[in-house]
Amino acid sequence: MNPLEMLTLDDLHTRTSVKWRLYPPDVLPAFVAEMDVVLAEPVERAMTDALRRGDTGYPIGTGYVEALAAFASQRWGWDGIDVGRSLMVADVMTGVSEVLQLVTEPGSPVIVNPPVYPPFFAFVSKIGRRATDAPLGADGRLDLEALGETFARAAATGLPAAYLLCNPQNPTGTAHRPDELASVARLAHEHGVRVVADEIHAPIVLDGARFTPYLSVEGAEDAFSVMSASKAWNLAGAKAGVVVAGADAEEDLERMPEVVGHGASQMGALGHTAALREGGDWLDEVLSGLSANRSHLAGELARRLPEVRLWEPEATYLAWLDCRALELGDDPAEVFLERGRVALGSGPTFGPGGAGHVRVTAATSKAVLSEIVERMASSVR
Ligand SMILES: Cc1ncc(COP(=O)(O)O)c(C=O)c1O
């Protein structure tokens, strides 16, 4: 059976993670990027074996990076992950923050493409840099003209600038294409902007699309990617991630304070490594379920809420819904929560372009997806 179809709501309500504990039990949660799956068997085995042995000290070694390199080679035909130019870190946002601090200075502009993962704004501000918007185009793809103009303005500040790319994009599920990424690299060189690609959703690509690692495109050699198995194998609570430097960013990575490598958890390192090495079949099953869920959600919305426009994702298990035709104000998630008891991602928190939108986490069973749409529909009847 598909891992997305194996758990009932009663099973899921026994979980104690933020998805299942932030709201009272009568609220159906679909607001956070956690999946309603049973773990891949090799992952569960690696972690429970370690627990049984009391193997819960500090992680060491290059096993995670090597597993990621092998996965990248096999899945994406990309051999650009070099153990000597990579560092295991606590999680993706820690890796992103630390790399941004290496390549920019206090007050530096960090360009982002809203609507985008809300913590991008918060982390950039926390490290004393300035988030600078280059919104996605009306088609949900990178607006290269706007990006070039924003890079030029960032360069004019005289401070070293960086671009925090979300590839694939959360919340729209856009898988940036090789030609788009090559243009990004050209623009970044032209304006002296350093690129940091958050590629946490990379393994989650739906039927008909492909993931292109940013570091695989020509001209991206001085960039960084930050990756993790946490989204694709539902391991967000088992902390670990990897910073990968391009060939010309090695010297920057050497300046990384040694303590930044202390953050990953042993459970994370072991679980993520097992996922990348042995979790491919499980992932393929989940991906086929997610592609089916995309059609199912589109069908349910067409039937119950035809005014809502679904941005069909190419990647991620997120669905970005334009609810403006329902006239529920800037934050329809508030209305759906209050009237329908369904918790969705709040559009305005994703920055400019987010008003009137909600984000649905679609990594669940078809029955739960139907119930999410039912609760949304009941809110506007
Ligand atoms: C684009 C993006 N980056 C980072 C994260 C968080 O990753 P981590 O928990 O490894 O910091 C998420 C979580 O959903 C995400 O969607």
Side-chain angles (χ1 to χ4, degrees):
M1 200 194 275
N2 193 289
L4 292 161
E5 297 290 342
M6 287 168 72
L7 297 167
T8 64
L9 278 176
D10 283 345
D11 297 328
L12 291 162
H13 275 292
T14 66
R15 292 187 170 177
T16 59
S17 61
V18 65
K19 180 167 186 176
W20 298 98
R21 285 293 187 271
L22 184 63
Y23 294 104
D26 67 315
V27 170
L28 184 59
F31 65 99
V32 69
E34 291 183 24
M35 302 166 93
D36 299 344
V37 288
V38 287
L39 286 184
E41 191 277 331
V43 174
E44 184 186 329
R45 185 162 24 93
M47 292 168 77
T48 51
D49 279 359
L51 286 174
R52 216 171 290 121
R53 284 181 281 111
D55 186 9
T56 47
Y58 297 113
I60 186 170
T62 52
Y64 185 4
V65 177
E66 284 162 25
L68 182 63
F71 182 84
S73 177
Q74 194 207 339
R75 283 265 153 170
W76 309 317
W78 177 53
D79 293 312
I81 299 183
D82 184 318
V83 170
R85 280 192 265 112
S86 306
L87 177 68
M88 184 164 68
V89 290
D91 54 28
V92 166
M93 288 317 299
T94 300
V96 164
S97 305
E98 294 293 344
V99 172
L100 287 173
Q101 288 176 90
L102 280 184
V103 298
T104 63
E105 287 173 14
S108 277
V110 174
I111 294 115
V112 295
N113 303 124
V116 75
Y117 180 55
F120 276 18
F121 303 103
F123 273 90
V124 167
S125 140
K126 173 176 169 283
I127 60 170
R129 274 59 172 170
R130 277 187 309 107
T132 305
D133 296 334
L136 293 178
D139 57 357
R141 307 207 69 91
L142 295 176
D143 179 340
L144 295 167
E145 206 178 309
L147 198 60
E149 283 164 13
T150 314
F151 282 4
R153 268 189 284 118
T157 65
L159 289 164
Y163 170 39
L164 177 50
L165 169 71
C166 192
N167 180 37
Q169 182 90 14
N170 171 359
T172 55
T174 312
H176 305 303
R177 291 189 310 256
D179 60 302
E180 293 168 320
L181 297 177
S183 300
V184 166
R186 266 195 307 279
L187 289 169
H189 267 277
E190 191 183 322
H191 299 288
V193 171
R194 299 296 295 275
V195 181
V196 181
D198 175 337
E199 300 191 318
I200 194 169
H201 292 279
I204 315 164
V205 179
L206 309 184
D207 282 352
R210 262 184 76 82
F211 165 71
T212 305
Y214 179 68
L215 291 178
S216 73
V217 306
E218 204 184 317
E221 295 78 11
D222 69 344
F224 289 85
S225 167
V226 190
M227 296 188 164
S228 173
S230 71
K231 287 296 123 186
W233 283 273
N234 204 35
L235 293 169
K239 288 268 173 189
V242 177
V243 169
V244 182
D248 296 343
E250 186 169 356
E251 282 179 17
D252 294 301
L253 190 62
E254 281 165 7
R255 290 189 290 110
M256 185 75 93
E258 194 265 339
V259 288
V260 174
H262 291 191
S265 64
Q266 169 79 328
M267 275 304 120
L270 295 173
H272 292 214
T273 303
L276 291 159
R277 287 234 179 264
E278 302 171 69
D281 291 345
W282 180 94
L283 178 65
D284 286 336
E285 282 191 53
V286 168
L287 295 181
S288 79
L290 291 175
S291 294
N293 277 4
R294 174 175 59 182
S295 316
H296 184 70
L297 181 60
E300 291 293 78
L301 286 169
R303 202 164 63 78
R304 307 298 320 273
L305 275 173
E307 305 87 344
V308 170
R309 182 177 156 235
L310 165 69
W311 293 64
E312 290 223 352
E314 300 174 292
T316 78
Y317 45 71
L318 308 167
W320 184 238
L321 307 186
D322 179 351
C323 302
R324 285 174 293 182
L326 295 175
E327 298 185 354
L328 299 176
D330 279 353
D331 195 1
E334 272 184 2
V335 180
F336 292 131
L337 177 61
E338 195 181 309
R339 298 192 199 152
R341 308 305 283 163
V342 59
L344 308 176
S346 154
T349 63
F350 290 78
H357 291 68
V358 297
R359 193 192 72 176
V360 175
T361 299
T364 190
S365 64
K366 288 203 180 58
V368 169
L369 265 186
S370 296
E371 177 67 18
I372 290 168
V373 176
E374 171 56 34
R375 289 184 183 216
M376 290 172 69
S378 75
S379 313
V380 296
R381 248 187 240 125

